[in-house]
Amino acid sequence: MSKQTIYYTLTDEAPALATASLLPIFGAFAKEADIELKLTDISLASRIISSFSDLLPADKQAEDGLKFLGDLTASPEANIVKLPNISASLPQLYAAIKELKTQGYDLPDYPENAQTDAEKDVLARYSKVLGSAVNPVLRQGNSDRRAPAAVKGFARKNPHSMGKWSKTSTSHADYMRDGDFYSSEQSVTMDSAQTVKIEFVGKDGSVEVKKTLPLLAGEILDSMNISCAKLRAFFEASLQEAKKDNIMWSVHLKATMMKVSHPIVFGHAVTVFYKDVFEKYSELFKEIGVNPNNGLGSVYDKIQTLPEAKQEEIKQAIQACYDTRPELAMVDSDKGITNLHVPSDVIVDASMPAMIRNSGKMWGRDGKAHDAKAVIPDSTYARIYQETINFCKTNGAFDPVTMGTVPNVGLMAQKAEEYGSHDKTFEIAAAGTMRIVDANGNVLMQHAVEKGDIWRACQTKDAPIRDWVKLGVTRARQSDTPAVFWLDENRPHDNQLRNKVETYLKDHDTNGLDIRIMSYNEAIRFSMERIIRGEDTISVTGNILRDYLTDLFPILELGTSAKMLSIVPMLEGGGMYETGAGGSAPKHVQQLMEENHLRWDSLGEFLAVAVSFEELGIKHNNEKAIILAKCLDKATGKLLDTNKSPSRKSGEIDNRGSHFYLALYWAQELATQTENAELATKFSPLAKALAAKETTIVAELAAVQGKPAGLSGYYHINLEEVTKIMRPSDTFNQALASL
Amino acid sequence: MSKQTIYYTLTDEAPALATASLLPIFGAFAKEADIELKLTDISLASRIISSFSDLLPADKQAEDGLKFLGDLTASPEANIVKLPNISASLPQLYAAIKELKTQGYDLPDYPENAQTDAEKDVLARYSKVLGSAVNPVLRQGNSDRRAPAAVKGFARKNPHSMGKWSKTSTSHADYMRDGDFYSSEQSVTMDSAQTVKIEFVGKDGSVEVKKTLPLLAGEILDSMNISCAKLRAFFEASLQEAKKDNIMWSVHLKATMMKVSHPIVFGHAVTVFYKDVFEKYSELFKEIGVNPNNGLGSVYDKIQTLPEAKQEEIKQAIQACYDTRPELAMVDSDKGITNLHVPSDVIVDASMPAMIRNSGKMWGRDGKAHDAKAVIPDSTYARIYQETINFCKTNGAFDPVTMGTVPNVGLMAQKAEEYGSHDKTFEIAAAGTMRIVDANGNVLMQHAVEKGDIWRACQTKDAPIRDWVKLGVTRARQSDTPAVFWLDENRPHDNQLRNKVETYLKDHDTNGLDIRIMSYNEAIRFSMERIIRGEDTISVTGNILRDYLTDLFPILELGTSAKMLSIVPMLEGGGMYETGAGGSAPKHVQQLMEENHLRWDSLGEFLAVAVSFEELGIKHNNEKAIILAKCLDKATGKLLDTNKSPSRKSGEIDNRGSHFYLALYWAQELATQTENAELATKFSPLAKALAAKETTIVAELAAVQGKPAGLSGYYHINLEEVTKIMRPSDTFNQALASL
């Protein structure tokens, strides 16, 4: 393996198309610093093909790019630029298989109901590519996210819209006060490596081993339980309170990521809100397969098999619920999609910042914004939103022009905390005790449980914690910014973590650094008091807060979390540079296909590659790489300032045009910098050529727009074909080639 | 001076009457521990008499009790039990003079308009007894206040009413964001003792010395300014916002204590709210002497000299204001007294806790409770109320049954901070600069000021700060409770203070103590998070927060601040034990005069005397005194538990009856304690006698009620006469005498 290689990922949809234009630019510039950018295909299509390569002819086989990169994460030399990819739902998988078949890939169908061993084998292969299959393989480290200086500067000069807050806003977050995970959490740190058992003990004394867990020494193990009865009572009380107070009601969960526990919680919200319907049609709904965990939408889906009259009766029963319940917040008031239709529609880490940005309001049935009760049942993290709401009521809306920033260093590696709990989460079938027993038979933790309760265990390994503490200190030092470890003294898990943090902090030189430990409420309040004064504060948090805060603050600061720099410093010393959230933008592809205009903004790639260059330069003492990085950042800043980001409209500047300006500004920065004469000399002609031919190149790029692009593959693109589409300016291509 | 003396104050009105019954009991018990209780007269009447004793015949002269006690504060042996006294207003002074004259005291009249030297001498003598004349002389130390265990325990068992809070409450505190004292504060610590000058520099460069201030080394000197223009703009914006948001409006100040600055601020609130009236009648109001600083009441007062028609016209103009303004909170809706009628009617430290206790509501014109915008213009301390309101919205009302307590250690000695600023407060007459110049001519601090601004300087001496830090540590140690120094890092004054606190903390053994420094918001939040968990937190604060918090928390915890134990550990080593706030209760006297029922509750005296005994016992190694104290506390607890406090109704148990039960329970506790056999033996017969004769004594005490008491003096009581009235049970008196 070359020591000067950056692995750039080929993913899906819009970012993949953009890569065909952008990577040649990065490659041309990088080679002047003896850096090679290698493209690794981890697209959904390639992951399908490689999963079945042993069954395909030689010319149809593909390397397993994801496995290659996964292996690479174990090397200190890993330097991976990771673009957004498809986390495939079943419909997307079907479509991809279908497309590949038309391209001559003799793939087996997805076995909906696998019976034979062969079918089960096929199912297992497909299961590996379904859902969030890439990040768990590549994210072999903790998380370091921040708003890059250029982005923050741009947002200050071009503030996004921010709704004003009234001091008399009645909006608030509502959460359980007991019976939730927060109230029931227990936590231990393992003295030694051993295998523990998760057991259910029935009322009759029978013991059922639910799972065995091998644990490492120093690993933190938690268990907690949500009471089904208290959860339902909470929903009912909250609904009645909202009705009485005449405020709109909404529920906010993370049913996508917390894929086992949160759909159940969501289901309870649905069956409590529509209690009359679910009680009346209890038997019928069972028969036709209604699953409230999939939302009210499931009712509308499943009743389609019923006679019209019956359907109408049920729909009227649903309507009748609205008379006795508070107004329900809408996800899409035009289409009548309520907050309770689909569990994945209201994802707390996106929906709460949106509400806070919108004056604390959500959308009502009338299509207008109203104050709302935001129900976030488990109180563990709900409190931070109430704190933020209270802060906005007191101090008014945040001002993107003046506000400071809150970067995050997050504990993420090795499925830390709740995000690794899915296989240790159980919906309790009967009353009894859930307990964890160590290798010697000692009960480490136990909870009395009732039918319907949701019990779970979470693990947090020691090595990631050590690394996270180090990362927090490093970030504080490098940014010269106060860093706050968010640890709630009322959480047993956090107290275990705090012991480690206090110990591991001693391993580092913290002299002159402002490092604090605060509970979540204190920490967010402290951070908010600072941002309204224009001051920055690093949040050093666990895994869920990492996720929530890197939406909350970016959305308030920048209007989006897609422009964050997201770095995964690997536990083994390498680094992965993620190019922003926001998905792979299927609508962008559609526009390209119809109008040959790609509105994908490669800003995330510009920022990530700059850091990738910089880290590589530091690691290999490659001065040119560091200068390339600096100049790329300056070029990105100039691109933002001169408004050369892609427009949404065909006929105006698109992704390709913005790449041209990046190349122009980057070359100009390199030509005029004085740190490295060789680079200046090298890039001077390119800078001049691109500047001289700006009009021609822009015209050539514009000329192709307005008609279909002629894209033959969607999931499995032909890179040669896409390159032709994405590099239509001969003048620009020749200038680059002359380097 | 005896080393075992407690100085018990004879004050005014109800507490003075109660003393005639209670002091003989204390005296009888105390002598068994070789303690003498000496009565010192500091009543308003005695202060008047002693001021003119050089002009009165020998038999009408009086010792200056206040001067005697004031001198005593300089002695480490001082042990003073201080009861509530009259802070005389002019009408009260007139009435007292009149009464004394009828008793044959040949006193000069109060010279309303003193011209001659003789008149000025008389005015100066009367001025010394006017207003808050006692506390500044006696409070030669900092402040140590807490809810005694017996009181707290009683409140938990017998919780006062507490309004529920809605999560959708729109009530809030509103305050200036700039242009106020908080935003403009500057602060220095003096290196050396010297005299500085407060100067006004006019736009023409002319310098006027407003005051010279001798300062000690280590003294903290602050200056700050409130912008008149910004204050008025804030009021206007706040009124318009309240109108738009349809919320009731109210203003909360401390015009009594902050007697120079706050009436001016109140005046601006009045003239902004009734802008149309004050603009239209500007000239007329000047002629007839309307002073808006005295409230809208001043308008109603002064227009009485005008013709009926004109009065009516003005009243209608006032009414018309209510159409364009938000609803105004009422002090007394029955009588039509609004929040803006009288500056002393809405005293922030009492009104805000009342609002918080009443579900965040104030009273509207309709006699019903409504959400309100509580305007507290200067933001320095306003934030704590908004924090408390947000906390109640989030967590619901506090529960007196379970909540912890927040004792206070307050910096009070030597007119610390704002409470000593009256003679250094100036309403600015013309634009220019206010500055403080040191002995060498260096400008220490300066503010650009405009006409109408309110500029002030505050002093805080070093010795009280040292003592306050020591007291905080001592209280934390003695109560085994976390202590928080409330210091706002955004306040220059507090940062000067913080330097000293951090230094002086090193002088003490803080090993094992939880002592923290937090900003006000952090500190109150921390304290509230703890009290809802039943945990106690000592607040160690500056002078204003001392005053505010010892109302806020007691009112929430106990329903009143009158039951707090208030100790002033003197800087010189002595101690003063104050017997609760709440005034001297003129209405109680009226009831006694008419029905011979005194409903005064001597609880404060019971508690204060117990501490007085305890401190004296510790100081003189007097074991019996300590046991007397312990048993008195237990007796007080039993008295509360058995509901032997005075009833409000004639015919039921009154102040005298409760004293009997105190004596009974106290004697019983002493008889049954096993620490000191001598005391047990001594009190055993009394305990038996009182128990045996309970029915007789209660009957004798009840027998006198229902008819006028025959009290001949009001301000200047005849102690012999009062003693007869207050000790009507021969059986009880004889039992006591047998000790």
Side-chain angles (χ1 to χ4, degrees):
Chain A
M1 185 177 61
S2 159
K3 282 196 172 176
Q4 311 262 341
T5 303
I6 292 170
Y7 293 87
Y8 199 93
T9 53
L10 183 66
T11 59
D12 304 291
E13 297 179 331
L17 300 175
T19 296
S21 159
L22 186 55
L23 190 62
I25 300 171
F26 285 145
F29 279 63
K31 76 172 192 295
E32 305 307 327
D34 303 316
I35 295 169
E36 186 185 11
L37 278 97
K38 282 194 181 162
L39 193 63
T40 305
D41 191 348
I42 58 168
S43 66
L44 174 61
S46 91
R47 286 185 284 126
I48 295 172
I49 296 168
S50 68
S51 295
F52 291 96
S53 275
D54 56 326
L55 307 177
L56 294 171
D59 67 325
K60 297 288 186 200
Q61 292 174 8
E63 188 199 13
D64 188 344
L66 183 59
K67 182 175 185 310
F68 171 78
L69 292 181
D71 292 345
L72 184 65
T73 61
S75 158
E77 303 301 331
N79 185 314
I80 301 170
V81 176
K82 159 72 176 58
L83 280 68
N85 66 289
I86 291 178
S87 291
S89 64
L90 265 182
Q92 286 173 307
L93 182 65
Y94 293 154
I97 296 170
K98 189 174 164 197
E99 178 179 314
L100 286 167
K101 284 188 170 181
T102 65
Q103 292 177 356
Y105 289 85
D106 186 18
L107 293 164
D109 286 328
Y110 182 86
E112 290 229 33
N113 190 9
Q115 298 293 340
T116 67
D117 281 354
E119 284 168 349
K120 284 179 184 165
D121 171 59
V122 169
L123 183 66
R125 293 183 193 222
Y126 278 129
S127 294
K128 253 186 66 185
V129 300
L130 263 179
S132 185
V134 172
N135 283 339
V137 176
L138 299 186
R139 284 185 173 170
Q140 297 302 325
N142 290 307
S143 156
D144 181 2
R145 292 191 185 176
R146 57 187 188 271
V151 170
K152 185 72 181 163
F154 179 77
R156 284 191 159 144
K157 278 179 276 185
N158 305 274
H160 62 92
S161 66
M162 178 75 88
K164 286 190 177 173
W165 272 79
S166 164
K167 297 188 184 81
T168 56
S169 166
T170 59
S171 291
H172 59 274
D174 200 4
Y175 40 85
M176 299 173 76
R177 304 292 162 153
D178 71 322
D180 62 347
F181 286 139
Y182 184 76
S183 315
S184 63
E185 188 174 271
Q186 300 180 29
S187 185
V188 293
T189 300
M190 304 309 295
D191 283 340
S192 59
Q194 57 177 286
T195 295
V196 303
K197 284 183 283 192
I198 297 176
E199 297 179 343
F200 172 76
V201 186
K203 288 284 184 194
D204 60 357
S206 63
V207 176
E208 177 193 354
V209 177
K210 307 287 286 184
K211 192 168 183 75
T212 56
L213 280 184
L215 298 174
L216 302 176
E219 188 157 357
I220 298 173
L221 181 66
D222 323 313
S223 61
M224 59 208 80
N225 183 53
I226 254 189
S227 156
C228 173
K230 288 189 175 167
L231 174 66
R232 293 183 65 86
F234 162 74
F235 279 133
E236 182 61 42
S238 157
L239 285 163
Q240 290 184 13
E241 190 179 72
K243 180 80 180 172
K244 180 172 74 65
D245 290 342
N246 192 26
I247 189 170
M248 203 157 67
W249 193 90
S250 62
V251 70
H252 303 256
L253 288 161
K254 179 99 182 178
T256 44
M257 188 67 200
M258 296 310 302
K259 58 191 178 187
V260 181
S261 55
H262 279 199
I264 302 171
V265 174
F266 186 80
H268 286 299
V270 170
T271 55
V272 173
F273 189 99
Y274 301 100
K275 193 166 55 179
D276 296 345
V277 172
F278 278 86
E279 279 173 5
K280 183 170 179 191
Y281 299 104
S282 160
E283 285 306 310
L284 176 63
F285 282 4
K286 217 172 280 176
E287 275 169 39
I288 61 176
V290 166
N291 183 358
N293 297 5
N294 291 341
L296 188 69
S298 172
V299 176
Y300 285 111
D301 274 359
K302 299 294 183 181
I303 62 173
Q304 286 177 14
T305 57
L306 300 174
E308 285 273 324
K310 194 72 186 171
Q311 288 188 38
E312 198 47 44
E313 180 195 314
I314 293 171
K315 284 177 186 171
Q316 278 177 14
I318 291 173
Q319 287 305 314
C321 291
Y322 296 119
D323 296 336
T324 60
R325 289 307 193 187
E327 184 172 356
L328 192 54
M330 303 301 281
V331 168
D332 187 336
S333 57
D334 289 344
K335 296 184 181 159
I337 307 293
T338 74
N339 181 271
L340 291 175
H341 262 61
V342 184
S344 59
D345 266 355
V346 188
I347 300 301
V348 58
D349 50 340
S351 61
M352 288 305 300
M355 176 177 169
I356 290 162
R357 199 185 147 192
N358 190 29
S359 311
K361 294 176 190 290
M362 296 187 71
W363 300 100
R365 192 174 292 194
D366 58 3
K368 290 180 184 158
H370 301 285
D371 285 353
K373 180 190 279 286
V375 172
I376 308 170
D378 177 43
S379 63
T380 316
Y381 306 104
R383 286 177 169 81
I384 64 165
Y385 295 112
Q386 174 68 358
E387 190 71 27
T388 308
I389 288 170
N390 279 340
F391 193 83
C392 289
K393 285 185 196 176
T394 300
N395 297 291
F398 292 100
D399 181 357
V401 175
T402 55
M403 73 191 289
T405 187
V406 182
N408 180 268
V409 171
L411 180 57
M412 180 175 75
Q414 298 176 356
K415 301 182 181 174
E417 303 180 330
E418 293 93 333
Y419 278 2
S421 69
H422 316 309
D423 59 350
K424 297 172 283 288
T425 303
F426 304 96
E427 190 173 15
I428 303 299
T433 301
M434 286 294 294
R435 66 184 192 189
I436 301 182
V437 181
D438 75 5
N440 300 321
N442 302 313
V443 174
L444 296 176
M445 296 177 273
Q446 61 181 343
H447 291 92
V449 292
E450 301 291 331
K451 181 171 189 304
D453 287 4
I454 308 165
W455 184 98
R456 74 181 175 200
C458 307
Q459 296 168 256
T460 315
K461 297 195 195 305
D462 185 62
I465 297 170
R466 272 180 203 269
D467 177 79
W468 170 66
V469 172
K470 177 180 148 215
L471 205 55
V473 174
T474 307
R475 178 60 36 228
R477 177 75 68 195
Q478 288 181 355
S479 311
D480 192 19
T481 299
V484 178
F485 282 84
W486 293 41
L487 295 169
D488 183 338
E489 62 193 7
N490 293 310
R491 273 192 77 182
H493 167 77
D494 281 14
N495 286 332
Q496 299 292 326
L497 208 48
R498 176 190 281 253
N499 291 340
K500 289 180 183 279
V501 168
E502 285 171 350
T503 304
Y504 299 155
L505 275 175
K506 293 179 193 139
D507 297 341
H508 303 283
D509 171 18
T510 55
N511 196 23
L513 299 183
D514 183 352
I515 293 181
R516 310 189 188 198
I517 297 179
M518 294 183 177
S519 75
Y520 306 162
N521 271 344
E522 286 178 283
I524 196 162
R525 182 64 176 279
F526 177 73
S527 305
M528 291 190 295
E529 293 281 0
R530 288 176 55 85
I531 50 179
I532 61 169
R533 291 169 170 82
E535 295 165 346
D536 308 335
T537 316
I538 299 163
S539 59
V540 190
T541 71
N543 208 348
I544 289 201
L545 282 173
R546 167 195 65 76
D547 200 20
Y548 289 10
L549 297 186
T550 57
D551 273 324
L552 176 62
F553 287 111
I555 287 173
L556 296 176
E557 293 175 33
L558 316 171
T560 171
S561 58
K563 294 180 181 173
M564 292 288 276
L565 192 58
S566 174
I567 302 172
V568 181
M570 312 280 198
L571 292 184
E572 302 300 337
M576 178 163 71
Y577 311 95
E578 299 187 89
T579 70
S584 44
K587 280 187 185 164
H588 293 202
V589 185
Q590 200 181 338
Q591 189 183 21
L592 178 93
M593 290 167 80
E594 291 165 7
E595 307 176 346
N596 203 358
H597 178 95
L598 186 67
R599 67 174 190 255
W600 176 260
D601 187 345
S602 301
L603 177 64
E605 287 86 303
F606 305 161
L607 300 165
V609 166
V611 185
S612 159
F613 279 156
E614 183 188 16
E615 295 273 320
L616 193 142
I618 292 168
K619 200 170 271 173
H620 295 287
N621 204 15
N622 180 341
E623 189 207 0
K624 287 180 181 172
I626 293 172
I627 293 170
L628 274 179
K630 274 192 209 171
C631 291
L632 175 52
D633 267 340
K634 285 188 185 168
T636 304
K638 190 167 174 191
L639 185 120
L640 289 170
D641 284 343
T642 55
N643 197 21
K644 298 301 184 192
S645 300
S647 157
R648 297 173 65 89
K649 272 199 275 184
S650 179
E652 299 181 353
I653 185 170
D654 83 340
N655 177 267
R656 293 163 284 203
S658 80
H659 293 170
F660 158 68
Y661 279 104
L662 182 81
L664 168 62
Y665 297 153
W666 195 4
Q668 287 175 333
E669 292 292 343
L670 285 161
T672 53
Q673 55 79 30
T674 55
E675 288 179 79
N676 186 299
E678 205 184 321
L679 276 181
T681 309
K682 184 75 198 175
F683 281 94
S684 211
L686 180 65
K688 281 179 194 145
L690 293 180
K693 292 168 186 166
E694 176 181 349
T695 318
T696 311
I697 294 170
V698 170
E700 286 173 1
L701 292 173
V704 300
Q705 292 196 40
K707 43 192 178 286
L711 196 67
S712 64
Y714 182 95
Y715 289 102
H716 191 223
I717 58 172
N718 177 330
L719 197 56
E720 209 171 315
E721 175 191 284
V722 170
T723 300
K724 274 190 193 139
I725 296 170
M726 291 301 296
R727 303 190 72 201
S729 166
D730 283 343
T731 314
F732 182 33
N733 298 346
Q734 280 162 22
L736 264 189
S738 72
L739 254 183
Chain B
M1 185 176 61
S2 160
K3 283 193 172 180
Q4 310 262 343
T5 302
I6 292 171
Y7 293 87
Y8 198 93
T9 52
L10 182 67
T11 58
D12 303 291
E13 297 178 331
L17 300 175
T19 295
S21 159
L22 185 54
L23 190 62
I25 300 171
F26 285 145
F29 279 63
K31 77 172 192 294
E32 305 307 325
D34 302 315
I35 296 169
E36 184 186 11
L37 279 97
K38 283 193 182 163
L39 192 63
T40 305
D41 192 348
I42 59 166
S43 66
L44 174 60
S46 92
R47 288 185 282 124
I48 294 172
I49 296 168
S50 68
S51 295
F52 291 95
S53 275
D54 57 327
L55 307 177
L56 294 171
D59 68 323
K60 297 290 184 197
Q61 291 174 8
E63 188 199 12
D64 187 342
L66 183 59
K67 182 176 185 307
F68 171 77
L69 292 181
D71 292 345
L72 185 65
T73 61
S75 159
E77 303 302 331
N79 185 315
I80 302 169
V81 175
K82 158 72 177 60
L83 279 71
N85 66 289
I86 291 178
S87 289
S89 64
L90 265 181
Q92 285 172 308
L93 182 65
Y94 293 154
I97 296 170
K98 191 175 163 194
E99 177 180 315
L100 286 168
K101 283 188 172 184
T102 65
Q103 293 177 357
Y105 290 84
D106 185 19
L107 292 165
D109 286 328
Y110 181 87
E112 290 228 33
N113 191 9
Q115 297 292 341
T116 67
D117 282 353
E119 283 167 353
K120 283 177 185 166
D121 170 60
V122 170
L123 183 66
R125 293 182 192 222
Y126 278 130
S127 295
K128 253 185 67 187
V129 300
L130 263 179
S132 186
V134 172
N135 283 340
V137 175
L138 298 186
R139 285 184 172 171
Q140 296 303 325
N142 290 307
S143 155
D144 180 2
R145 293 193 185 176
R146 56 187 189 270
V151 170
K152 185 73 182 162
F154 179 76
R156 284 191 158 141
K157 278 179 276 184
N158 305 275
H160 63 92
S161 66
M162 177 75 89
K164 286 191 178 172
W165 271 79
S166 164
K167 297 189 184 80
T168 56
S169 165
T170 58
S171 291
H172 59 275
D174 199 4
Y175 40 84
M176 299 172 77
R177 304 293 161 152
D178 71 321
D180 62 348
F181 287 139
Y182 184 76
S183 315
S184 63
E185 188 174 272
Q186 299 179 30
S187 186
V188 294
T189 300
M190 304 309 295
D191 283 341
S192 58
Q194 58 177 285
T195 295
V196 303
K197 284 181 284 191
I198 298 176
E199 298 178 341
F200 172 76
V201 186
K203 288 285 185 193
D204 60 358
S206 62
V207 176
E208 178 193 355
V209 177
K210 307 287 284 186
K211 195 171 179 74
T212 55
L213 280 184
L215 299 174
L216 302 176
E219 186 157 358
I220 297 173
L221 181 66
D222 322 313
S223 61
M224 60 208 77
N225 183 52
I226 230 176
S227 156
C228 172
K230 288 188 175 168
L231 173 66
R232 294 184 63 87
F234 162 74
F235 279 133
E236 181 62 42
S238 158
L239 286 164
Q240 290 185 14
E241 191 179 71
K243 180 82 180 168
K244 180 172 75 63
D245 291 342
N246 194 25
I247 189 170
M248 204 158 64
W249 194 89
S250 62
V251 69
H252 303 257
L253 288 161
K254 179 98 182 177
T256 44
M257 187 66 199
M258 298 310 302
K259 57 189 177 188
V260 180
S261 55
H262 279 199
I264 302 171
V265 174
F266 186 80
H268 287 300
V270 171
T271 55
V272 173
F273 190 99
Y274 300 101
K275 194 167 54 177
D276 295 346
V277 171
F278 278 85
E279 278 173 4
K280 185 169 177 192
Y281 298 105
S282 159
E283 285 307 309
L284 176 63
F285 282 4
K286 215 172 281 172
E287 274 169 40
I288 60 175
V290 166
N291 183 358
N293 297 5
N294 292 341
L296 188 68
S298 171
V299 176
Y300 284 112
D301 274 359
K302 298 294 183 181
I303 62 172
Q304 287 177 12
T305 57
L306 299 174
E308 284 274 324
K310 194 71 187 172
Q311 288 187 38
E312 199 46 45
E313 179 195 314
I314 294 170
K315 284 178 185 170
Q316 279 179 15
I318 290 172
Q319 287 305 314
C321 291
Y322 296 120
D323 296 337
T324 59
R325 290 306 193 189
E327 184 172 356
L328 192 54
M330 303 301 280
V331 168
D332 187 334
S333 58
D334 289 342
K335 296 185 182 158
I337 307 293
T338 74
N339 180 272
L340 291 176
H341 261 61
V342 185
S344 59
D345 266 355
V346 188
I347 300 300
V348 59
D349 51 339
S351 60
M352 287 307 299
M355 175 179 171
I356 291 162
R357 199 185 148 193
N358 189 28
S359 309
K361 294 176 192 288
M362 295 186 72
W363 300 101
R365 191 173 294 196
D366 58 3
K368 290 181 183 156
H370 301 284
D371 286 353
K373 180 191 280 286
V375 172
I376 308 170
D378 177 43
S379 63
T380 315
Y381 307 104
R383 287 176 166 82
I384 66 165
Y385 295 112
Q386 173 68 356
E387 190 70 27
T388 307
I389 288 170
N390 280 339
F391 192 82
C392 291
K393 286 184 195 176
T394 300
N395 297 293
F398 291 99
D399 182 356
V401 175
T402 55
M403 72 190 289
T405 187
V406 182
N408 179 268
V409 171
L411 179 56
M412 181 175 74
Q414 299 177 355
K415 300 181 182 175
E417 303 180 328
E418 294 93 332
Y419 278 1
S421 68
H422 317 308
D423 59 351
K424 296 173 284 288
T425 301
F426 304 96
E427 189 174 17
I428 302 299
T433 302
M434 285 296 293
R435 68 185 189 188
I436 301 181
V437 180
D438 76 5
N440 299 319
N442 302 313
V443 175
L444 296 176
M445 297 177 273
Q446 61 181 342
H447 291 91
V449 291
E450 301 290 331
K451 182 171 188 307
D453 287 4
I454 308 165
W455 184 98
R456 74 181 176 201
C458 306
Q459 295 167 256
T460 315
K461 299 197 194 302
D462 185 62
I465 298 170
R466 272 182 204 268
D467 177 79
W468 170 65
V469 172
K470 177 180 149 218
L471 204 56
V473 174
T474 306
R475 178 60 36 227
R477 177 75 67 195
Q478 288 180 355
S479 312
D480 193 18
T481 299
V484 178
F485 282 84
W486 294 40
L487 296 170
D488 183 337
E489 61 193 5
N490 294 310
R491 271 192 79 183
H493 168 76
D494 281 13
N495 287 332
Q496 299 292 328
L497 209 48
R498 178 190 281 252
N499 290 340
K500 288 178 183 281
V501 169
E502 284 170 352
T503 303
Y504 299 154
L505 276 175
K506 291 179 193 138
D507 297 341
H508 303 284
D509 171 19
T510 56
N511 196 25
L513 300 183
D514 183 352
I515 293 181
R516 309 188 188 198
I517 298 179
M518 295 183 176
S519 76
Y520 307 161
N521 272 343
E522 285 178 283
I524 196 161
R525 180 65 173 277
F526 177 73
S527 305
M528 291 189 296
E529 294 281 1
R530 288 176 56 85
I531 51 180
I532 61 169
R533 290 169 172 83
E535 296 165 345
D536 307 334
T537 315
I538 299 163
S539 59
V540 190
T541 71
N543 208 349
I544 288 201
L545 283 172
R546 166 194 66 76
D547 199 22
Y548 289 11
L549 298 185
T550 56
D551 273 324
L552 176 61
F553 287 112
I555 287 175
L556 296 175
E557 293 176 32
L558 316 172
T560 171
S561 58
K563 294 179 181 172
M564 292 289 276
L565 192 57
S566 175
I567 302 172
V568 182
M570 312 278 196
L571 291 184
E572 303 300 336
M576 177 163 72
Y577 311 94
E578 298 187 270
T579 70
S584 43
K587 280 185 184 165
H588 294 203
V589 185
Q590 201 180 338
Q591 190 183 20
L592 177 93
M593 289 166 81
E594 292 165 6
E595 308 176 346
N596 203 357
H597 178 94
L598 185 66
R599 67 175 191 258
W600 177 260
D601 187 345
S602 301
L603 177 63
E605 287 83 304
F606 306 161
L607 300 165
V609 166
V611 186
S612 158
F613 280 157
E614 184 189 16
E615 295 274 320
L616 192 142
I618 292 168
K619 199 170 273 171
H620 296 286
N621 203 15
N622 181 341
E623 189 208 0
K624 288 181 182 171
I626 293 172
I627 293 170
L628 275 179
K630 274 193 210 169
C631 291
L632 175 53
D633 267 340
K634 285 189 187 166
T636 304
K638 190 168 175 192
L639 184 120
L640 289 170
D641 283 346
T642 55
N643 197 20
K644 298 300 184 195
S645 300
S647 156
R648 297 171 65 88
K649 271 199 278 186
S650 180
E652 298 181 354
I653 184 170
D654 82 340
N655 176 266
R656 293 164 282 203
S658 79
H659 293 172
F660 159 68
Y661 279 104
L662 182 82
L664 169 61
Y665 297 154
W666 194 4
Q668 287 174 334
E669 292 293 343
L670 285 161
T672 53
Q673 55 79 29
T674 55
E675 288 177 81
N676 186 300
E678 204 183 320
L679 276 182
T681 309
K682 184 75 200 175
F683 281 94
S684 211
L686 180 65
K688 283 180 194 143
L690 292 181
K693 292 169 185 163
E694 177 181 350
T695 318
T696 311
I697 293 171
V698 169
E700 286 174 357
L701 292 174
V704 300
Q705 291 197 40
K707 44 193 175 288
L711 195 66
S712 65
Y714 184 95
Y715 289 102
H716 190 222
I717 58 173
N718 178 332
L719 198 56
E720 211 171 313
E721 172 192 287
V722 170
T723 300
K724 275 188 194 143
I725 296 171
M726 292 302 297
R727 305 191 69 200
S729 166
D730 283 343
T731 314
F732 182 32
N733 297 347
Q734 282 163 20
L736 264 189
S738 71
L739 254 184

